[in-house]
Structures are given as structure tokens and as C-alpha cells.
mmCIF file of all heavy atoms in Angstrom:
data_model
loop_
_atom_site.group_PDB
_atom_site.id
_atom_site.type_symbol
_atom_site.label_atom_id
_atom_site.label_comp_id
_atom_site.label_asym_id
_atom_site.label_seq_id
_atom_site.Cartn_x
_atom_site.Cartn_y
_atom_site.Cartn_z
ATOM 1 N N ALA A 912 68.005 99.933 30.753
ATOM 2 C CA ALA A 912 68.702 98.813 31.398
ATOM 3 C C ALA A 912 67.772 97.631 31.623
ATOM 4 O O ALA A 912 68.209 96.473 31.614
ATOM 5 C CB ALA A 912 69.303 99.282 32.718
ATOM 6 N N ALA A 913 66.470 97.915 31.824
ATOM 7 C CA ALA A 913 65.511 96.836 32.090
ATOM 8 C C ALA A 913 64.898 96.265 30.816
ATOM 9 O O ALA A 913 64.186 95.260 30.869
ATOM 10 C CB ALA A 913 64.394 97.368 32.993
ATOM 11 N N ALA A 914 65.188 96.879 29.674
ATOM 12 C CA ALA A 914 64.458 96.554 28.445
ATOM 13 C C ALA A 914 64.657 95.123 27.969
ATOM 14 O O ALA A 914 63.805 94.572 27.260
ATOM 15 C CB ALA A 914 64.856 97.527 27.337
ATOM 16 N N SER A 915 65.762 94.496 28.330
ATOM 17 C CA SER A 915 66.009 93.119 27.868
ATOM 18 C C SER A 915 65.295 92.074 28.725
ATOM 19 O O SER A 915 65.267 90.891 28.366
ATOM 20 C CB SER A 915 67.510 92.833 27.863
ATOM 21 O OG SER A 915 68.031 92.900 29.191
ATOM 22 N N TRP A 916 64.699 92.513 29.844
ATOM 23 C CA TRP A 916 64.093 91.551 30.763
ATOM 24 C C TRP A 916 62.619 91.352 30.400
ATOM 25 O O TRP A 916 61.715 91.848 31.040
ATOM 26 C CB TRP A 916 64.256 92.014 32.215
ATOM 27 C CG TRP A 916 65.675 91.899 32.671
ATOM 28 C CD1 TRP A 916 66.585 92.896 32.806
ATOM 29 C CD2 TRP A 916 66.352 90.688 33.005
ATOM 30 N NE1 TRP A 916 67.792 92.398 33.217
ATOM 31 C CE2 TRP A 916 67.686 91.034 33.346
ATOM 32 C CE3 TRP A 916 65.976 89.340 33.052
ATOM 33 C CZ2 TRP A 916 68.634 90.085 33.723
ATOM 34 C CZ3 TRP A 916 66.928 88.399 33.426
ATOM 35 C CH2 TRP A 916 68.237 88.768 33.757
ATOM 36 N N THR A 917 62.415 90.594 29.337
ATOM 37 C CA THR A 917 61.058 90.213 28.946
ATOM 38 C C THR A 917 60.520 89.192 29.946
ATOM 39 O O THR A 917 61.286 88.543 30.661
ATOM 40 C CB THR A 917 61.070 89.579 27.557
ATOM 41 O OG1 THR A 917 61.831 88.357 27.613
ATOM 42 C CG2 THR A 917 61.683 90.522 26.529
ATOM 43 N N PRO A 918 59.207 89.032 30.027
ATOM 44 C CA PRO A 918 58.657 88.031 30.948
ATOM 45 C C PRO A 918 59.237 86.638 30.735
ATOM 46 O O PRO A 918 59.517 85.920 31.707
ATOM 47 C CB PRO A 918 57.156 88.084 30.664
ATOM 48 C CG PRO A 918 56.917 89.500 30.231
ATOM 49 C CD PRO A 918 58.128 89.863 29.426
ATOM 50 N N GLN A 919 59.434 86.241 29.498
ATOM 51 C CA GLN A 919 59.985 84.905 29.245
ATOM 52 C C GLN A 919 61.417 84.797 29.750
ATOM 53 O O GLN A 919 61.806 83.782 30.355
ATOM 54 C CB GLN A 919 59.941 84.584 27.752
ATOM 55 C CG GLN A 919 60.428 83.163 27.423
ATOM 56 C CD GLN A 919 59.625 82.092 28.136
ATOM 57 O OE1 GLN A 919 58.427 81.938 27.905
ATOM 58 N NE2 GLN A 919 60.276 81.334 29.028
ATOM 59 N N ARG A 920 62.231 85.835 29.515
ATOM 60 C CA ARG A 920 63.606 85.793 30.016
ATOM 61 C C ARG A 920 63.633 85.781 31.544
ATOM 62 O O ARG A 920 64.431 85.075 32.152
ATOM 63 C CB ARG A 920 64.400 86.996 29.485
ATOM 64 C CG ARG A 920 65.871 86.907 29.870
ATOM 65 C CD ARG A 920 66.661 88.136 29.478
ATOM 66 N NE ARG A 920 68.040 88.000 29.927
ATOM 67 C CZ ARG A 920 68.865 89.030 30.144
ATOM 68 N NH1 ARG A 920 68.435 90.274 29.929
ATOM 69 N NH2 ARG A 920 70.088 88.828 30.571
ATOM 70 N N VAL A 921 62.740 86.578 32.157
ATOM 71 C CA VAL A 921 62.653 86.574 33.623
ATOM 72 C C VAL A 921 62.298 85.177 34.125
ATOM 73 O O VAL A 921 62.923 84.652 35.072
ATOM 74 C CB VAL A 921 61.605 87.599 34.106
ATOM 75 C CG1 VAL A 921 61.315 87.414 35.594
ATOM 76 C CG2 VAL A 921 62.077 89.016 33.835
ATOM 77 N N ALA A 922 61.307 84.552 33.506
ATOM 78 C CA ALA A 922 60.887 83.214 33.937
ATOM 79 C C ALA A 922 62.029 82.222 33.831
ATOM 80 O O ALA A 922 62.263 81.409 34.743
ATOM 81 C CB ALA A 922 59.689 82.762 33.108
ATOM 82 N N THR A 923 62.771 82.282 32.730
ATOM 83 C CA THR A 923 63.890 81.356 32.544
ATOM 84 C C THR A 923 64.992 81.622 33.559
ATOM 85 O O THR A 923 65.522 80.703 34.192
ATOM 86 C CB THR A 923 64.445 81.497 31.112
ATOM 87 O OG1 THR A 923 63.401 81.216 30.172
ATOM 88 C CG2 THR A 923 65.608 80.549 30.892
ATOM 89 N N PHE A 924 65.346 82.912 33.715
ATOM 90 C CA PHE A 924 66.439 83.276 34.620
ATOM 91 C C PHE A 924 66.095 82.960 36.075
ATOM 92 O O PHE A 924 66.933 82.476 36.843
ATOM 93 C CB PHE A 924 66.761 84.758 34.460
ATOM 94 C CG PHE A 924 67.959 85.219 35.239
ATOM 95 C CD1 PHE A 924 69.236 85.024 34.754
ATOM 96 C CD2 PHE A 924 67.813 85.864 36.467
ATOM 97 C CE1 PHE A 924 70.348 85.442 35.471
ATOM 98 C CE2 PHE A 924 68.907 86.291 37.197
ATOM 99 C CZ PHE A 924 70.187 86.083 36.687
ATOM 100 N N CYS A 925 64.859 83.243 36.463
ATOM 101 C CA CYS A 925 64.432 83.038 37.854
ATOM 102 C C CYS A 925 63.974 81.605 38.125
ATOM 103 O O CYS A 925 63.684 81.260 39.271
ATOM 104 C CB CYS A 925 63.293 83.999 38.198
ATOM 105 S SG CYS A 925 63.753 85.746 38.146
ATOM 106 N N GLN A 926 63.900 80.805 37.050
ATOM 107 C CA GLN A 926 63.435 79.418 37.162
ATOM 108 C C GLN A 926 62.024 79.363 37.754
ATOM 109 O O GLN A 926 61.736 78.625 38.698
ATOM 110 C CB GLN A 926 64.422 78.575 37.985
ATOM 111 C CG GLN A 926 65.789 78.465 37.333
ATOM 112 C CD GLN A 926 66.806 77.699 38.154
ATOM 113 O OE1 GLN A 926 66.504 77.157 39.220
ATOM 114 N NE2 GLN A 926 68.040 77.646 37.667
ATOM 115 N N LEU A 927 61.155 80.169 37.149
ATOM 116 C CA LEU A 927 59.756 80.241 37.547
ATOM 117 C C LEU A 927 58.870 79.935 36.340
ATOM 118 O O LEU A 927 59.237 80.227 35.205
ATOM 119 C CB LEU A 927 59.409 81.649 38.051
ATOM 120 C CG LEU A 927 59.971 82.086 39.398
ATOM 121 C CD1 LEU A 927 59.726 83.587 39.594
ATOM 122 C CD2 LEU A 927 59.338 81.296 40.542
ATOM 123 N N PRO A 928 57.687 79.386 36.576
ATOM 124 C CA PRO A 928 56.733 79.254 35.472
ATOM 125 C C PRO A 928 56.343 80.649 34.959
ATOM 126 O O PRO A 928 56.126 81.574 35.745
ATOM 127 C CB PRO A 928 55.529 78.550 36.114
ATOM 128 C CG PRO A 928 56.064 77.908 37.351
ATOM 129 C CD PRO A 928 57.179 78.788 37.824
ATOM 130 N N LEU A 929 56.258 80.770 33.639
ATOM 131 C CA LEU A 929 55.885 82.054 33.060
ATOM 132 C C LEU A 929 54.536 82.526 33.585
ATOM 133 O O LEU A 929 54.331 83.723 33.823
ATOM 134 C CB LEU A 929 55.830 81.941 31.523
ATOM 135 C CG LEU A 929 55.403 83.195 30.760
ATOM 136 C CD1 LEU A 929 56.360 84.359 31.040
ATOM 137 C CD2 LEU A 929 55.319 82.908 29.267
ATOM 138 N N ALA A 930 53.632 81.599 33.827
ATOM 139 C CA ALA A 930 52.303 81.973 34.326
ATOM 140 C C ALA A 930 52.398 82.648 35.693
ATOM 141 O O ALA A 930 51.624 83.575 35.988
ATOM 142 C CB ALA A 930 51.417 80.732 34.413
ATOM 143 N N GLN A 931 53.334 82.205 36.541
ATOM 144 C CA GLN A 931 53.493 82.846 37.854
ATOM 145 C C GLN A 931 54.066 84.256 37.707
ATOM 146 O O GLN A 931 53.635 85.184 38.405
ATOM 147 C CB GLN A 931 54.405 82.002 38.746
ATOM 148 C CG GLN A 931 53.746 80.770 39.334
ATOM 149 C CD GLN A 931 54.567 80.207 40.476
ATOM 150 O OE1 GLN A 931 55.703 80.610 40.719
ATOM 151 N NE2 GLN A 931 53.978 79.255 41.192
ATOM 152 N N VAL A 932 55.040 84.409 36.830
ATOM 153 C CA VAL A 932 55.616 85.741 36.601
ATOM 154 C C VAL A 932 54.531 86.701 36.130
ATOM 155 O O VAL A 932 54.390 87.825 36.643
ATOM 156 C CB VAL A 932 56.761 85.668 35.572
ATOM 157 C CG1 VAL A 932 57.249 87.074 35.208
ATOM 158 C CG2 VAL A 932 57.914 84.835 36.115
ATOM 159 N N MET A 933 53.721 86.247 35.171
ATOM 160 C CA MET A 933 52.674 87.119 34.648
ATOM 161 C C MET A 933 51.586 87.388 35.690
ATOM 162 O O MET A 933 51.007 88.486 35.724
ATOM 163 C CB MET A 933 52.059 86.497 33.402
ATOM 164 C CG MET A 933 53.018 86.455 32.218
ATOM 165 S SD MET A 933 53.799 88.061 31.862
ATOM 166 C CE MET A 933 52.362 89.119 31.664
ATOM 167 N N ALA A 934 51.295 86.410 36.550
ATOM 168 C CA ALA A 934 50.308 86.640 37.607
ATOM 169 C C ALA A 934 50.773 87.747 38.542
ATOM 170 O O ALA A 934 49.971 88.603 38.966
ATOM 171 C CB ALA A 934 50.069 85.344 38.385
ATOM 172 N N PHE A 935 52.072 87.757 38.867
ATOM 173 C CA PHE A 935 52.628 88.814 39.714
ATOM 174 C C PHE A 935 52.536 90.166 39.019
ATOM 175 O O PHE A 935 52.078 91.157 39.605
ATOM 176 C CB PHE A 935 54.079 88.471 40.052
ATOM 177 C CG PHE A 935 54.811 89.527 40.844
ATOM 178 C CD1 PHE A 935 54.226 90.133 41.949
ATOM 179 C CD2 PHE A 935 56.099 89.908 40.479
ATOM 180 C CE1 PHE A 935 54.909 91.109 42.680
ATOM 181 C CE2 PHE A 935 56.781 90.878 41.195
ATOM 182 C CZ PHE A 935 56.186 91.475 42.298
ATOM 183 N N TYR A 936 52.948 90.215 37.768
ATOM 184 C CA TYR A 936 52.940 91.493 37.054
ATOM 185 C C TYR A 936 51.517 92.033 36.895
ATOM 186 O O TYR A 936 51.281 93.248 36.987
ATOM 187 C CB TYR A 936 53.600 91.333 35.692
ATOM 188 C CG TYR A 936 55.095 91.056 35.744
ATOM 189 C CD1 TYR A 936 55.807 90.742 34.593
ATOM 190 C CD2 TYR A 936 55.802 91.125 36.950
ATOM 191 C CE1 TYR A 936 57.172 90.502 34.630
ATOM 192 C CE2 TYR A 936 57.166 90.871 37.001
ATOM 193 C CZ TYR A 936 57.844 90.556 35.838
ATOM 194 O OH TYR A 936 59.201 90.313 35.889
ATOM 195 N N ARG A 937 50.553 91.156 36.670
ATOM 196 C CA ARG A 937 49.166 91.622 36.516
ATOM 197 C C ARG A 937 48.596 92.108 37.844
ATOM 198 O O ARG A 937 47.773 93.040 37.864
ATOM 199 C CB ARG A 937 48.314 90.495 35.932
ATOM 200 C CG ARG A 937 48.644 90.216 34.463
ATOM 201 C CD ARG A 937 47.643 89.273 33.816
ATOM 202 N NE ARG A 937 48.007 89.021 32.429
ATOM 203 C CZ ARG A 937 48.542 87.876 31.980
ATOM 204 N NH1 ARG A 937 48.741 86.867 32.819
ATOM 205 N NH2 ARG A 937 48.846 87.737 30.708
ATOM 206 N N LEU A 938 49.028 91.488 38.957
ATOM 207 C CA LEU A 938 48.623 92.015 40.267
ATOM 208 C C LEU A 938 49.079 93.457 40.427
ATOM 209 O O LEU A 938 48.333 94.315 40.904
ATOM 210 C CB LEU A 938 49.212 91.156 41.390
ATOM 211 C CG LEU A 938 48.448 89.934 41.872
ATOM 212 C CD1 LEU A 938 49.239 89.222 42.964
ATOM 213 C CD2 LEU A 938 47.074 90.323 42.380
ATOM 214 N N LEU A 939 50.328 93.724 40.027
ATOM 215 C CA LEU A 939 50.849 95.090 40.120
ATOM 216 C C LEU A 939 50.055 96.029 39.214
ATOM 217 O O LEU A 939 49.739 97.166 39.602
ATOM 218 C CB LEU A 939 52.328 95.111 39.724
ATOM 219 C CG LEU A 939 53.297 94.297 40.586
ATOM 220 C CD1 LEU A 939 54.709 94.390 40.034
ATOM 221 C CD2 LEU A 939 53.265 94.753 42.037
ATOM 222 N N ALA A 940 49.736 95.555 38.027
ATOM 223 C CA ALA A 940 49.019 96.407 37.073
ATOM 224 C C ALA A 940 47.631 96.780 37.572
ATOM 225 O O ALA A 940 47.154 97.894 37.339
ATOM 226 C CB ALA A 940 48.910 95.692 35.725
ATOM 227 N N ASP A 941 46.981 95.869 38.282
ATOM 228 C CA ASP A 941 45.592 96.071 38.701
ATOM 229 C C ASP A 941 45.457 96.792 40.036
ATOM 230 O O ASP A 941 44.351 97.209 40.397
ATOM 231 C CB ASP A 941 44.876 94.714 38.800
ATOM 232 C CG ASP A 941 44.729 94.032 37.443
ATOM 233 O OD1 ASP A 941 44.813 94.742 36.421
ATOM 234 O OD2 ASP A 941 44.565 92.801 37.419
ATOM 235 N N ALA A 942 46.556 96.934 40.785
ATOM 236 C CA ALA A 942 46.472 97.453 42.153
ATOM 237 C C ALA A 942 46.770 98.944 42.204
ATOM 238 O O ALA A 942 47.678 99.444 41.523
ATOM 239 C CB ALA A 942 47.438 96.705 43.063
ATOM 240 N N GLU A 943 46.041 99.643 43.033
ATOM 241 C CA GLU A 943 46.269 101.071 43.233
ATOM 242 C C GLU A 943 47.527 101.320 44.053
ATOM 243 O O GLU A 943 48.255 102.294 43.831
ATOM 244 C CB GLU A 943 45.052 101.692 43.935
ATOM 245 C CG GLU A 943 45.117 103.199 44.101
ATOM 246 C CD GLU A 943 45.017 103.946 42.785
ATOM 247 O OE1 GLU A 943 44.520 103.358 41.804
ATOM 248 O OE2 GLU A 943 45.455 105.113 42.734
ATOM 249 N N ASN A 944 47.804 100.429 45.018
ATOM 250 C CA ASN A 944 48.955 100.607 45.900
ATOM 251 C C ASN A 944 49.705 99.296 46.056
ATOM 252 O O ASN A 944 49.098 98.227 46.129
ATOM 253 C CB ASN A 944 48.502 101.085 47.287
ATOM 254 C CG ASN A 944 47.944 102.484 47.266
ATOM 255 O OD1 ASN A 944 48.659 103.424 46.919
ATOM 256 N ND2 ASN A 944 46.670 102.648 47.602
ATOM 257 N N TRP A 945 51.042 99.402 46.118
ATOM 258 C CA TRP A 945 51.891 98.253 46.429
ATOM 259 C C TRP A 945 52.786 98.627 47.598
ATOM 260 O O TRP A 945 53.315 99.727 47.677
ATOM 261 C CB TRP A 945 52.833 97.853 45.295
ATOM 262 C CG TRP A 945 52.360 98.017 43.892
ATOM 263 C CD1 TRP A 945 51.134 97.689 43.377
ATOM 264 C CD2 TRP A 945 53.138 98.545 42.795
ATOM 265 N NE1 TRP A 945 51.103 97.975 42.031
ATOM 266 C CE2 TRP A 945 52.312 98.491 41.640
ATOM 267 C CE3 TRP A 945 54.443 99.015 42.670
ATOM 268 C CZ2 TRP A 945 52.743 98.918 40.396
ATOM 269 C CZ3 TRP A 945 54.879 99.438 41.424
ATOM 270 C CH2 TRP A 945 54.050 99.390 40.306
ATOM 271 N N LEU A 946 53.026 97.654 48.476
ATOM 272 C CA LEU A 946 53.964 97.821 49.587
ATOM 273 C C LEU A 946 54.932 96.647 49.549
ATOM 274 O O LEU A 946 54.515 95.496 49.713
ATOM 275 C CB LEU A 946 53.218 97.847 50.928
ATOM 276 C CG LEU A 946 54.060 98.111 52.177
ATOM 277 C CD1 LEU A 946 54.602 99.534 52.180
ATOM 278 C CD2 LEU A 946 53.245 97.857 53.446
ATOM 279 N N THR A 947 56.208 96.921 49.293
ATOM 280 C CA THR A 947 57.216 95.867 49.235
ATOM 281 C C THR A 947 58.001 95.865 50.545
ATOM 282 O O THR A 947 58.694 96.835 50.862
ATOM 283 C CB THR A 947 58.172 96.065 48.046
ATOM 284 O OG1 THR A 947 57.406 96.168 46.843
ATOM 285 C CG2 THR A 947 59.114 94.882 47.931
ATOM 286 N N LEU A 948 57.868 94.777 51.292
ATOM 287 C CA LEU A 948 58.557 94.614 52.568
ATOM 288 C C LEU A 948 59.735 93.672 52.328
ATOM 289 O O LEU A 948 59.557 92.474 52.118
ATOM 290 C CB LEU A 948 57.602 94.028 53.605
ATOM 291 C CG LEU A 948 56.345 94.876 53.872
ATOM 292 C CD1 LEU A 948 55.135 93.986 54.106
ATOM 293 C CD2 LEU A 948 56.555 95.799 55.053
ATOM 294 N N TYR A 949 60.946 94.225 52.317
ATOM 295 C CA TYR A 949 62.117 93.397 52.004
ATOM 296 C C TYR A 949 63.101 93.407 53.167
ATOM 297 O O TYR A 949 63.229 94.385 53.901
ATOM 298 C CB TYR A 949 62.777 93.843 50.703
ATOM 299 C CG TYR A 949 63.199 95.289 50.599
ATOM 300 C CD1 TYR A 949 64.519 95.674 50.793
ATOM 301 C CD2 TYR A 949 62.266 96.285 50.271
ATOM 302 C CE1 TYR A 949 64.919 96.998 50.658
ATOM 303 C CE2 TYR A 949 62.652 97.606 50.139
ATOM 304 C CZ TYR A 949 63.976 97.961 50.332
ATOM 305 O OH TYR A 949 64.361 99.263 50.205
ATOM 306 N N SER A 950 63.800 92.282 53.322
ATOM 307 C CA SER A 950 64.644 92.134 54.502
ATOM 308 C C SER A 950 65.943 91.437 54.135
ATOM 309 O O SER A 950 66.480 91.629 53.053
ATOM 310 C CB SER A 950 63.870 91.395 55.598
ATOM 311 O OG SER A 950 64.512 91.518 56.847
ATOM 312 N N MET A 951 66.442 90.565 55.020
ATOM 313 C CA MET A 951 67.809 90.065 54.889
ATOM 314 C C MET A 951 68.044 89.234 53.635
ATOM 315 O O MET A 951 69.161 89.161 53.124
ATOM 316 C CB MET A 951 68.186 89.243 56.127
ATOM 317 C CG MET A 951 68.189 90.038 57.415
ATOM 318 S SD MET A 951 69.202 91.527 57.324
ATOM 319 C CE MET A 951 67.951 92.775 57.531
ATOM 320 N N GLY A 952 67.013 88.590 53.101
ATOM 321 C CA GLY A 952 67.195 87.838 51.868
ATOM 322 C C GLY A 952 67.589 88.730 50.703
ATOM 323 O O GLY A 952 68.194 88.277 49.728
#
């Protein structure tokens, strides 16, 4: 289900610079632990 969401498509859909999308993904790749704190948004 996620296979069509390439970084470029994500950047276009989310209206973000591709460089920012890739910076986020590389942070995840390099980190041992992630904590996602999500709320009403």
C-alpha cells in the first residue's frame, strides 16, 4: 500500500521541498530510537 509513495510524490503531495522530506527520512535511518508524539492535529 505504501509502495507508490516515493519521496518525490510525498514532497509534491505534502507541498514540501524534497530536501526536507529526505532530511527527515535520513534522520530516521540514522537513529537507533524514534519517539513520535502525536496529538489533536
